[in-house]
Amino acid sequence: MTPWHTCEAVLSETFHVLPQYAAPTLAGLLERQAVLVSFDLTLNLEAVLAFMRKYADLPIDLADACLVRMTEVLADPIVLTTDMHFRSYRRHSRLVVPCVMPHH
């Protein structure tokens, strides 16, 4: 099984919202390298800030903008999210961000 790729902003949000008893599970995924931090904000800062300006009315946060940028630079990207705003975001200016969302 290939690892999932993410960014530090997403991990920060995830650890913040996870119940205390679930945090060790995410930590274990990181330790086993089933989840990898594979995004360098410094190298992608201009594009990330551009997404934040473009979608400021939705709202978009740093984690969302990083994920949208990741879909532009990684091969065969799929975003796992519960955030319905991802249906409105566009990568490469016009392409839908490929997402898997739970059914409501």
Side-chain angles (χ1 to χ4, degrees):
M1 179 176 168
T2 59
W4 290 95
H5 296 267
T6 193
C7 62
E8 290 164 336
V10 168
L11 288 176
S12 179
E13 282 189 12
T14 304
F15 274 111
H16 178 74
V17 300
L18 275 179
Q20 187 174 9
Y21 64 84
T25 302
L26 179 55
L29 292 171
L30 289 163
E31 290 170 336
R32 290 193 312 275
Q33 296 184 340
V35 174
L36 300 175
V37 176
S38 57
F39 183 76
D40 187 332
L41 180 57
T42 301
L43 297 176
N44 293 279
L45 185 60
E46 187 175 320
V48 168
L49 294 176
F51 282 125
M52 293 180 77
R53 284 189 295 273
K54 180 177 180 179
Y55 294 106
D57 62 322
L58 284 184
I60 189 169
D61 61 19
L62 179 64
D64 293 353
C66 289
L67 288 174
V68 174
R69 178 63 179 155
M70 288 177 73
T71 69
E72 293 184 329
V73 298
L74 295 177
D76 301 321
I78 298 175
V79 176
L80 300 177
T81 185
T82 58
D83 186 340
M84 301 303 278
H85 293 118
F86 275 88
R87 291 185 175 170
S88 300
Y89 302 150
R90 294 293 178 263
R91 61 194 193 111
H92 300 297
S93 298
R94 66 189 186 298
L95 299 175
V96 172
V97 174
C99 293
V100 173
M101 295 181 187
H103 298 287
H104 292 280

